[in-house]
Amino acid sequence: MTALKPIIAIDGPAGSGKSTIAKLVAKKLGLSYIDTGAMYRALALKAKKANVDFRDEGNIAELAKTIDIDLRYDAKTGQLTVLLEGRDVSEEIRKPYITDEVSSIAKIKEVREHMVTLQRRLAQGKRSILEGRDITTVVFPDAYKKFYLDADPDERIRRRYLEMKEKNMPVEESNVKINIEKRDRIDSTREHAPLRRAKDAVYIDTTKLSIDEVVNRVIEEINKP
Ligand code: CDP
């Protein structure tokens, strides 16, 4: 199979630094940035608004079929705007009531099929960097360069806690721990497209690395012929 030259794919668990790194690499290399987790989060929000039970897989899949999501990344400000049905939901989808349950809808087969189609469409014809849980394995297994970012669970919990505090979100570190452990478990053991390390993805343990060090490492790899 031929490698898709304009596509860079990153996977990894929560708090491994995927979003931060992908945004900075997008900015430096002028790529379009696609946060696939934001898409699952937007669907979770849509389901909440429609009062659809997250266990009701048939109805959640129906919502996924008709969802209208747009991602706009402004490289100058580093801001990603997530539009659901034309409304800016960028902040809402990061709230704990969404984070706590998003993995339950992300494990539904039909949901994943629709999301993968949307993600491929969003990236079509553009030089793009995508990050998520199944980008290197399912969405773009032939991506030009593939990465798996990782970090020790304690460090990932710490990072997410600090990030939420910085955004003035009311949060307890113990709850962040519970959420990250729960999502790690659901995301990596689900039947469809579980989070796993592709054999040909470059593995980067970011536990002891600075953001700049990871960005440089990724760019170095992208620039290798
Ligand atoms: O930013 P964080 O790592 O906390 O999560 P996210 O990337 O926003 O993703 C939220 C959730 O969406 C994950 O925990 C997964 O359950 C799901 N997801 C997925 O299943 N597949 C993807 N490609 C991206 C996210």
Side-chain angles (χ1 to χ4, degrees), residues 14 18 36 41 103 106 112 133-134 160 183 187 190:
K18 300 180 307 287
T36 63
R41 287 171 179 272
S103 291
R112 302 208 68 82
R133 303 291 189 287
D134 60 342
R160 184 50 49 92
R183 284 199 292 141
D187 294 344
R190 69 186 175 211

Side-chain angles (χ1 to χ4, degrees), residues 182-197:
K182 178 177 151 199
R183 284 199 292 141
D184 278 358
R185 183 172 38 78
I186 300 178
D187 294 344
S188 55
T189 59
R190 69 186 175 211
E191 189 182 348
H192 310 290
L195 169 66
R196 60 182 178 78
R197 194 176 145 185

Side-chain angles (χ1 to χ4, degrees), residues 11 19 22 33 132 157 174 177-178 185 195 203 205 220 224:
D11 283 324
S19 305
Y33 164 58
I157 292 161
S174 55
K177 181 174 160 67
I178 292 169
R185 183 172 38 78
L195 169 66
Y203 180 82
D205 180 350
E220 198 182 291
K224 270 191 198 163

Side-chain angles (χ1 to χ4, degrees), residues 6 10 16 47 52 57 66 69 75-77 80 94 96 99 112 136 145 147 150-151 155 167 173 188 213:
I10 305 184
S16 57
V52 176
E57 300 201 354
T66 56
I69 309 175
K76 274 192 209 123
T77 60
L80 173 73
R94 308 282 165 199
T99 308
R112 302 208 68 82
T136 61
K145 291 285 160 79
F147 299 89
D150 207 353
E155 173 63 12
K167 288 184 187 158
E173 193 163 352
S188 55
E213 283 172 321

